[in-house]
Amino acid sequence: MGLLTIGVFAKASRLSPKALRLYDELGLLTPARVDPVTGYRLYAPEQLEQARLVAWLRRLGMPLARIQHVRTLDAAAAAQEVRAFWAQVEADTAARRDLATLLIDHLSRKDPAMSPTAKPLEIRYAALSDTGLVRESNQDTVHAGSRLFAVADGYGRQGAPASAAAVDALKRLETDSIPADNLLNVLEDTIEQAKQAVYGIAGNGPSDEEAGTTLTAMLWTGSQLALVHIGDSRVYLLRDGELFQITHDHTMVQSMVDEGRLSPEEAASHPQRSLLIRALGQGADTTTDMSLHDAQQDDRYLLCSDGLSTVVPAQDIRRVLAEISEPEQAVRELIILANASGGPDNTSCVVADVMEL
């Protein structure tokens, strides 16, 4: 079979002539020959497979630059790249879903003081932070109050003041009266203030020294908990005896798990498991996750830095939360478990119980 005209090739590949011309200009799908007189593009039949791959990838919504990369790979590597791309799409969709939930509540002006249950609820809580057995200083900052619970894990030479600055910026949420219809805007403004506070700390250090912090916080509104999260500190929920992790780690290793490049078991021992891809700090991706959670009586929440979650198995965390009723004793036992596992990092915990008023 001879060369195909652009019209015939467009029909066979399910790409429009306009798209084929664009892909030629971008070097994505170059014609086998261009007529020197008419300028008509001619394609070889064996180019159909590549063209159809481009068409399918475009239907997935893959950017042209990434399609160009996929075209250079063998079949197995190309499949892995498509898997990674779609995992990222699903992660982005989940993040937008959480934001949509917040927007729905915001626009409907839902009153957070009105509990969906028949009984009014309150929170009892305890917090504790420990340097651990290896680190010389504690760069974590922990806060627990009547409305706000927060854990921040600083990094770099200015990590301790960076984590403290981020949490301090949130503390006004303890006392400020926040109308239901303005909750989303207040949270966003407060996170921006936390970013600027951390930038100010980082700017005071050496120019080549990275400094920043993770930040995971929950704001109690009376029947709901508004969650703000960036980094690899975590929030767990113990409900009806089952333990759920309700935050997603913003680490390189977790992104590789999401993309199917690593198993959770491989991630647990990966040498770069603490490498952050999102944090509050100069040069970092500072996009935070925000979500709203309906509280139920007898719920128990745990906020913790990665000094706990990286060394203490989830089943041991669940056992402590399920068996020890007093928050003060629970946080102490969690710190003991982290140190019994070597205490390689600072460890901070907040335990918050939802109770009948």
Side-chain angles (χ1 to χ4, degrees), residues 243-257:
L243 186 69
F244 306 93
Q245 181 183 332
I246 61 175
T247 52
H248 195 72
D249 294 346
H250 299 144
T251 61
M252 180 64 70
V253 166
Q254 183 60 53
S255 70
M256 294 171 71
V257 172

Side-chain angles (χ1 to χ4, degrees), residues 28-308:
L28 189 60
L29 192 62
T30 304
R33 178 172 175 268
V34 177
D35 189 291
V37 177
T38 63
Y40 288 164
R41 294 170 172 84
L42 301 170
Y43 295 83
E46 54 267 27
Q47 289 184 281
L48 278 173
E49 184 176 354
Q50 282 286 328
R52 285 168 179 161
L53 175 62
V54 170
W56 284 115
L57 295 176
R58 286 301 291 158
R59 288 182 66 179
L60 278 180
M62 184 177 286
L64 293 175
R66 195 159 184 175
I67 292 175
Q68 178 72 288
H69 173 62
V70 171
R71 284 184 61 254
T72 66
L73 304 175
D74 59 35
Q80 183 67 27
E81 188 67 19
V82 173
R83 184 181 295 111
F85 167 74
W86 192 248
Q88 185 60 53
V89 170
E90 291 182 324
D92 292 343
T93 300
R96 289 197 297 271
R97 186 185 305 119
D98 288 340
L99 180 58
T101 301
L102 276 176
L103 284 170
I104 290 168
D105 285 325
H106 173 67
L107 294 173
S108 62
R109 300 175 182 269
K110 183 176 180 179
D111 184 2
M114 296 298 293
S115 172
T117 67
K119 302 175 182 178
L121 301 173
E122 66 175 350
I123 293 279
R124 68 171 183 174
Y125 51 86
L128 189 62
S129 185
D130 187 81
T131 303
L133 305 180
V134 175
R135 300 293 177 90
E136 295 181 355
S137 61
N138 193 343
Q139 293 188 308
D140 287 0
T141 297
V142 63
H143 172 81
S146 60
R147 297 183 64 187
L148 177 70
F149 315 102
V151 170
D153 183 356
Y155 60 84
R157 190 176 301 172
Q158 299 292 313
S163 67
V167 172
D168 284 345
L170 267 63
K171 285 183 179 178
R172 73 178 185 87
L173 298 174
E174 285 278 19
T175 56
D176 285 2
S177 176
I178 305 173
D181 61 344
N182 203 33
L183 175 62
L184 183 59
N185 292 328
V186 170
L187 286 175
E188 187 175 36
D189 290 345
T190 304
I191 291 301
E192 183 60 31
Q193 292 170 15
K195 290 179 187 178
Q196 296 306 318
V198 173
Y199 290 167
I201 296 295
N204 293 329
S207 59
D208 60 346
E209 173 74 22
E210 288 189 0
T213 184
T214 69
L215 180 62
T216 300
M218 300 192 82
L219 177 66
W220 173 243
T221 66
S223 64
Q224 295 173 315
L225 284 156
L227 170 63
V228 174
H229 168 67
I230 185 167
D232 61 353
S233 294
R234 291 182 177 178
V235 177
Y236 292 96
L237 166 63
L238 183 74
R239 175 175 287 175
D240 297 328
E242 296 294 323
L243 186 69
F244 306 93
Q245 181 183 332
I246 61 175
T247 52
H248 195 72
D249 294 346
H250 299 144
T251 61
M252 180 64 70
V253 166
Q254 183 60 53
S255 70
M256 294 171 71
V257 172
D258 296 340
E259 294 168 2
R261 300 181 182 182
L262 282 180
S263 69
E265 294 73 24
E266 291 170 328
S269 59
H270 197 281
Q272 293 183 311
R273 61 184 179 275
S274 296
L275 183 61
L276 296 170
I277 57 175
R278 285 201 239 166
L280 298 184
Q282 295 284 8
D285 180 351
T286 59
T287 305
T288 55
D289 293 340
M290 291 196 296
S291 55
L292 202 59
H293 300 265
D294 289 324
Q296 296 182 13
Q297 184 177 338
D298 300 325
D299 280 351
R300 168 167 275 191
Y301 289 88
L302 167 67
L303 288 73
C304 65
S305 62
D306 68 332
L308 177 73

